[in-house]
Each structure stands twice: as structure tokens, then as C-alpha cells.
Amino acid sequence: MQSELRRPTVSFSRVVGWMSVCFLIVPVLVVVPVSFTPKRYLSWPGSEWSLRHYEVLVGEGGWLSSIGDSLIVATAAAVLALAMGTLFAVGHWRLNNGVTRNLRLFLLLPMIVPPIVHAVAFYQAWAVLKLLDTYPGLILVHSMKALPFVVLSVSASLINLDPRLEQASRSLGATSRETLWLIILPQVRPGIIAGAIFAFVTSWDEIIVAIFITSREVYTLPKRIWDGIFDNIDPAIAALGTVMILLTAIGLVVKDRYEKARNIKIGAS
Amino acid sequence: MKESLAFDSVRKAYGGFFALDDVSIDIKAGEFMTLLGPSGSGKTTMLMSIAGFVEPTSGSIRLDGKEITHLPPEKRNFGVVFQGYALFPHLTVRENVFYPLRVRGVPKAEADAKIRSMLEIVQLDHLAERYPKQLSGGQQQRVALARAMVFSPELLLLDEPLSALDRALRKDLQRELKDLHERLGTTFIYVTHDQEEALSMSDRIAILRDGRIEQLGRPEELYEKPASIFAANFLGKSNFLPARQVGCDDRFVTYAVGDHRFRLDRDGVRSLDGDISIVLRPERLTLHSSEEAAPDNRMAGRIKGVSYFGQLYEAIVETEVAGDLLVSAGLDGPAPRAGETVWVGWKTNVGVALPGRPEGADEAYD
């Protein structure tokens, strides 16, 4: 259907559109050739190509264990933020009184407070609580930082939810808990998925707090990249970047295919 | 018939405003009860307090004598058909109807049989695997009904279930609902602002106004003997003659509109002092070409305009005594023509005398 609508004209808006796309994507793609350089530092590959920096990623340099650490922390933080944030958003949607409105402002604070303030504050607090350089220590901070994203995205989904669905469910004999699981959560699934992705990425990307409150026991990927750049501008970082870009692209293609398949299924039935 | 649902002095206050103000009513088991009123009259608040979503500020609600005022909705076992249907969009028709059985833990085989027979009753068995958004408005309405009935609720509450549908479909579904009510024998409590719907479907109608029950009775009673100007105005069309009571003997009460006098049967009206209004329904008035042909109660006038409605004519007759009168005329007699001079007549047993005068224009014409 799309190809029928497409007209082969060169318009001003088209040119601007493509220029914007290039502006966004080209700088990112620069890491791809750089990752194939045979040299020991960040450089253009020239005529010779090499996979040595990809070998380093899977080798003994600690990259794999950092990926593992980041996965553990980001997954746990996302799950925690998702559980708390979703429940809060639903509660706020149901009650919407002065208390929940103020609580909501409070929950959104981590987006406003500068990360360095968090970092310093948690450094002090975790030192007292003996949580420095531990998984729970970092997971707690990251889930707190991810919480606003979950609350915002789930709340956005709830805005379009007909409050009568909840009443209908109760009138049909379902308890509040059954209503939450069987009706409300399935309805806000897009918001929950978006919130989960945001939460995961928030933790996956986070470096400032990680630098302050972790050292050797917990060594996340952003921190290792940071250290890598700091020490010797290691092209392994470019290789890692290329892998990330590839994974993201694959993810988008899979999502696209899945949605198309689903639309066809619904349209055909 | 035994009592099914009872309201005893129920009040619901929102701040200083009473959405329900001292409402008492007994609804009999198996009855089709309609709550009729303009928006803001409290009819939906009343329905939602039966369903359990609105907790009364005072008073009590009982089901078969059992107190349910503070029982949460999921414990009440009442079916509710919501305005806009509130079908679960992520579930198919079958899953929507299954939902109340699922949360009750009904075994699969039993549930399947119930779902199948319910979908047959509402004629949706061929659409069981569709999602709500793939259905038309009328079909969605039937799913909502099936879902609210499948667990054999003690009451079925319907909140303006037909208001979103077009007129022809509404007529069909009115008949289907009435059939369903007779077949299942469940008590129906039906909220609407559509007077025609209320008259054609209900066993009894409660007219609500400002959180109070203005009048309660069978459709014929309400239509023939409105208890207030509001009720007369809200249900059907009415002519109001501004009158005074000037005499009373064994058989008749005599009224005057200006200098013009007429009589109504004494056993049909209340004796009233001061400003009163005589309610005359348009279809109870007759048109006559000469004074001799008209009944004793009559008034001279001139036809200002005529509308044709297929099954009847409606003529507006300008009278010197009482202003404009709306008169319905059947198709059997000669067609009324604008500009004609006529006599408007009515029998002594058709008028209702009410205290007061209507305020301004007839606000409640629907």
C-alpha cells in the first residue's frame, strides 16, 4: 500500500528530511570503519582491515564480564523500577488525589536532580550502609533513576484507558487484584514495554553514579568504556559500538516484522 | 411478587449537593423498572449505587431484605451494561463473555456450555472469535448484554445501553431487550433519558428530578395522570391551560381560563386553589368544523400550522382564550389545513389539574 502512495518527486521537505537523517546517523556510523582498524589506537582503517579489536571483546580484556555486569544491573533495575512504577501509576490513575499527585512529583525528581548530586549523595549513604561496590547498591540507585520513565510511560497509556473497564470488571465479579492483572495491565502493555526499555537503557547507559559507587566488584560496561578511553583510546570501544548498533538494528527489524505479521493477522480474521 | 431491591431514604451528597436526596423505592423481582430523567437528575447515581460504585451518604439499600449498602461491587452478583458497553478490547467476544465465569472459577465444560447458549440467545455465536473493535455498535451492545447475563445475575442494570445507536437499530434492540427480559425473568433496572423508550419497555417508570423521585408508576399512569407539571412535560407532549377552579358540584369541577369556562369529571381531579394548570394531551383534543359538533368543553381557534407524521397530523391551533394548542388528529377525518377556523374540543374525563404554572418554555421536550 505504501509503494502506491509514494510519488517520485523531489520536494524541499524531502531534502530536509534526508539531511536530518544523515545528520543523526552518519556520526554514529563513523565507529563502524574505525572498529576495523588494524592499529592499536582509534584511527581510520585505510587499506588494511582487521578483526583484532572484535577478538579483544570476547577475549580476556574483561569486556564480556562487564557486559554481564551491565546486563545483571540493568535487568534487575528495570524489573524493580517496572514493578514500583507501574503500581504507582495505576494507583495514581485510580485515586488521583492530593497525596498521589504530590507523590508523583516526588517520584519524578530523579529526572530533575543532576546526576552528580545523586552520585555524591549515594556515595556517602552507601558508605554508611556498606553498599558501595555491590550489585544491590548499584541496582537500587539505577532503579530509582529509571522510575520516572516507567511512571511517565505507563501513566501515558492509562490516560486513554476507559475507567468503566475497571468498573465493568468489578461488576462482573473480579476483585481489584484480578482486575489489575486481567484487565488494566494488558491494556497498558505498550506503556509497560516502553517503560521497561527506557528503564533498561537508563541503567545500561549510566556512568556517573557507577564511577562513584563501584570499583572492581561491579564493573559495568559504560565504566569500562570510560576507563578504556581514559587510558589509551582503545579501538575495542569502536568494535563494541558497532556490535551495539547492529543489535539495535536487528531489534528494530524484528519488531517491525512482528508488528506487520500481527496487523495482517488481525486484518484477515 | 416478592420484593427484590429496596431503597430506604438513600442520600448521596457531593459537598453540599445532593445527587440523591431521600430516595425510597421498592423494585419487585422480575420487574422492568426504568429510571427516567434529564441529565443531572440522579438516575445514573442511583444505578451506580445499586451496582456498588457509589456509596450512599446515608440510608440503606437492601436485596431481598439483606443489607447491601456497603457491599463492594464484585460481591453483589449484579450484571451491569455500561453506557458505551465497556467491553474488554484485548479479549475476544468469547473471552469477554467468559470473564465473569473465569473469575468465579466455573469449570471449563460448564462455562463453555453457558457461553454458547448465551451467545445463541443474543445471536452472536458466529462472531465469538472477533475482537470488540471488529463489531458494529449493535453487536457490541449484544456482547455487553451476554457478558452481563451469563453468570445469571440477580439484577441486570442497564445504563443508557441504546443511546449510542441509530434510531432504527434502537427500535430493534428495544424489542430484543424486552423479549430477553420476558424470557429470563431477571429484574431489569434501566436508565434512560428517552421517554419513548421508557414508555414502550417498562413495567414501571420512576421519573427523577434533582435527586428525587418525582413520580413512580406504570407507563399508562404516568402518561395519563402526571403528578406534576415537570412529569407532564417530561413524558410526552402536553398543553397547559392556565386556569383557576371556580366551582365544584357532585359530578363536575368547573374551571375558568380568563372568562372561558369548562368542566372536568370530579372523580378524576384534585380540588385545588390558586393558580393551576390543566394538562391536556394533544391526542385527547379533537378538531371540529362547527360549534354544534364539538363536545361541551370547546374553544374556538384558527389553525396556524400543520405537520404530517405519517401516522397522524399535528396541528397548532391559535386560540384567543388559551394561546396556542397542540392537537393531534388521526388520518381518518378530514386533513386539517392551515388557516381554517376550527373548534377544539375535549371530553370531561381527559384533563388533569395540577398546581402551579409551567416555567418558561417547555424545557423537557426531547
Side-chain angles (χ1 to χ4, degrees):
Chain A
M1 195 148 84
Q2 259 174 350
S3 59
E4 284 170 21
L5 293 172
R6 189 179 295 157
R7 282 190 222 122
T9 52
V10 179
S11 64
F12 178 69
S13 57
R14 233 167 215 288
V15 171
V16 171
W18 280 110
M19 280 170 65
S20 310
V21 170
C22 291
F23 174 72
L24 291 170
I25 288 181
V26 170
V28 176
L29 292 181
V30 164
V31 303
V32 178
V34 167
S35 72
F36 291 106
T37 184
K39 307 205 179 71
R40 293 175 144 275
Y41 48 90
L42 282 178
S43 56
W44 205 253
S47 54
E48 281 178 79
W49 295 64
S50 157
L51 288 174
R52 59 181 286 193
H53 301 298
Y54 287 88
E55 281 167 34
V56 170
L57 281 187
V58 293
E60 78 290 351
W63 289 102
L64 276 184
S65 91
S66 280
I67 291 174
D69 274 8
S70 269
L71 279 177
I72 292 170
V73 171
T75 306
V79 168
L80 212 58
L82 209 57
M84 294 190 294
T86 304
L87 287 179
F88 174 78
V90 172
H92 173 58
W93 173 74
R94 269 286 268 112
L95 300 171
N96 196 12
N97 56 29
V99 176
T100 65
R101 274 194 289 274
N102 288 330
L103 262 179
R104 186 180 143 91
L105 279 183
F106 194 69
L107 278 183
L108 298 183
L109 270 183
M111 284 175 75
I112 302 160
V113 175
I116 189 72
V117 175
H118 274 147
V120 174
F122 279 109
Y123 181 74
Q124 305 272 351
W126 276 191
V128 175
L129 295 170
K130 307 242 181 305
L131 283 170
L132 281 179
D133 205 16
T134 61
Y135 288 103
L138 191 58
I139 288 167
L140 278 177
V141 180
H142 280 184
S143 61
M144 181 210 70
K145 288 179 79 73
L147 202 52
F149 297 101
V150 178
V151 171
L152 286 178
S153 65
V154 176
S155 294
S157 284
L158 283 166
I159 286 174
N160 298 319
L161 185 64
D162 182 355
R164 278 177 301 205
L165 290 185
E166 198 227 347
Q167 295 192 333
S169 171
R170 304 270 314 269
S171 78
L172 292 167
T175 60
S176 299
R177 185 174 306 205
E178 284 167 331
T179 302
L180 179 68
W181 280 105
L182 299 174
I183 304 300
I184 296 175
L185 291 186
Q187 288 297 307
V188 295
R189 206 174 59 174
I192 293 175
I193 292 172
I197 292 170
F198 276 128
F200 184 88
V201 169
T202 302
S203 166
W204 183 260
D205 266 357
E206 205 284 327
I207 176 149
I208 298 173
V209 176
I211 287 174
F212 271 73
I213 70 168
T214 62
S215 60
R216 292 284 138 192
E217 287 301 315
V218 184
Y219 202 171
T220 61
L221 201 52
K223 187 153 177 282
R224 188 172 290 274
I225 293 172
W226 173 253
D227 291 347
I229 292 175
F230 221 60
D231 297 346
N232 55 4
I233 320 185
D234 191 344
I237 293 160
L240 185 70
T242 306
V243 171
M244 298 283 201
I245 291 169
L246 199 64
L247 286 177
T248 310
I250 290 171
L252 285 176
V253 170
V254 167
K255 170 181 165 284
D256 203 44
R257 283 282 156 82
Y258 169 75
E259 279 178 357
K260 266 192 193 135
R262 205 174 56 163
N263 286 342
I264 287 167
K265 203 182 103 195
I266 289 178
S269 63
Chain B
M1 262 194 274
K2 65 170 182 164
E3 165 195 283
S4 176
L5 186 88
F7 265 57
D8 193 5
S9 306
V10 172
R11 276 202 166 85
K12 176 65 191 177
Y14 292 106
F17 166 77
F18 283 102
L20 290 179
D21 194 357
D22 198 16
V23 171
S24 297
I25 190 173
D26 287 331
I27 296 169
K28 299 185 191 78
E31 193 170 26
F32 195 126
M33 168 66 79
T34 296
L35 310 178
L36 177 69
S39 52
S41 59
K43 57 190 192 299
T44 295
T45 308
M46 195 168 159
L47 195 77
M48 288 297 120
S49 64
I50 300 171
F53 294 113
V54 169
E55 203 171 346
T57 312
S58 66
S60 81
I61 304 172
R62 290 186 311 275
L63 182 76
D64 292 331
K66 198 181 75 208
E67 176 78 34
I68 61 163
T69 318
H70 304 290
L71 205 63
E74 64 267 24
K75 297 259 167 64
R76 296 198 179 193
N77 207 37
F78 297 166
V80 184
V81 176
F82 289 85
Q83 202 173 4
Y85 320 131
L87 299 177
F88 304 131
H90 62 296
L91 302 179
T92 62
V93 169
R94 179 190 305 285
E95 288 163 342
N96 263 282
V97 179
F98 178 46
Y99 189 80
L101 304 175
R102 177 179 176 183
V103 297
R104 282 173 175 75
V106 174
K108 185 95 178 62
E110 192 188 332
D112 279 347
K114 281 188 175 174
I115 294 166
R116 200 173 320 118
S117 83
M118 205 62 226
L119 286 179
E120 269 168 33
I121 288 176
V122 297
Q123 299 155 40
L124 282 177
D125 29 340
H126 59 298
L127 298 176
E129 306 310 326
R130 295 264 183 109
Y131 285 90
K133 67 175 174 214
Q134 299 170 309
L135 302 177
S136 69
Q139 289 165 340
Q140 292 186 21
Q141 211 276 338
R142 292 195 183 99
V143 178
L145 258 174
R147 187 180 67 177
M149 298 290 306
V150 72
F151 56 100
S152 311
E154 290 169 73
L155 293 176
L156 187 67
L157 312 175
L158 303 107
D159 188 8
E160 309 221 13
L162 306 180
S163 61
L165 304 173
D166 62 59
R167 201 180 154 79
L169 190 56
R170 212 154 65 205
K171 287 274 174 210
D172 287 347
L173 283 165
Q174 280 175 18
R175 203 168 312 119
E176 279 179 34
L177 266 178
K178 192 82 189 118
D179 283 351
L180 197 65
H181 173 247
E182 271 156 29
R183 255 170 96 169
L184 299 168
T186 311
T187 312
F188 277 37
I189 302 176
Y190 191 97
V191 161
T192 185
H193 65 271
D194 182 332
Q195 39 132 334
E196 222 178 290
E197 210 167 274
L199 284 174
S200 67
M201 297 173 78
S202 324
D203 294 324
R204 281 196 301 164
I205 300 172
I207 298 181
L208 276 91
R209 179 195 193 186
D210 298 337
R212 291 168 170 274
I213 293 179
E214 182 89 1
Q215 194 176 359
L216 172 68
R218 290 182 298 107
E220 299 89 332
E221 278 168 16
L222 261 59
Y223 191 82
E224 301 294 340
K225 298 282 171 201
S228 68
I229 288 170
F230 178 85
N233 227 339
F234 196 73
L235 212 56
K237 297 175 178 174
S238 300
N239 294 299
F240 296 98
L241 304 189
R244 282 171 298 115
Q245 183 175 329
V246 291
C248 185
D249 61 29
D250 296 348
R251 287 189 56 204
F252 297 109
V253 180
T254 307
Y255 298 95
V257 180
D259 292 333
H260 186 88
R261 296 186 175 222
F262 61 91
R263 303 187 300 182
L264 294 177
D265 290 350
R266 189 183 164 170
D267 51 5
V269 296
R270 291 186 273 169
S271 198
L272 293 162
D273 291 330
D275 281 349
I276 60 175
S277 295
I278 303 298
V279 179
L280 293 170
R281 297 289 190 184
E283 59 277 5
R284 296 294 189 183
L285 298 179
T286 47
L287 293 176
H288 307 274
S289 52
S290 64
E291 185 167 8
E292 297 76 48
D296 283 355
N297 292 333
R298 59 184 175 241
M299 221 172 249
R302 198 180 62 86
I303 297 180
K304 246 168 82 176
V306 179
S307 311
Y308 175 63
F309 286 94
Q311 75 276 34
L312 54 79
Y313 292 100
E314 269 184 14
I316 297 173
V317 180
E318 190 178 23
T319 66
E320 221 167 275
V321 181
D324 288 354
L325 295 179
L326 189 65
V327 183
S328 304
L331 301 179
D332 295 338
R337 246 182 274 280
E340 271 181 336
T341 311
V342 288
W343 289 87
V344 178
W346 64 95
K347 292 181 179 154
T348 55
N349 62 352
V350 299
V352 176
L354 295 173
R357 296 274 158 86
E359 305 163 18
D362 12 29
E363 44 178 318
Y365 273 29
D366 205 5

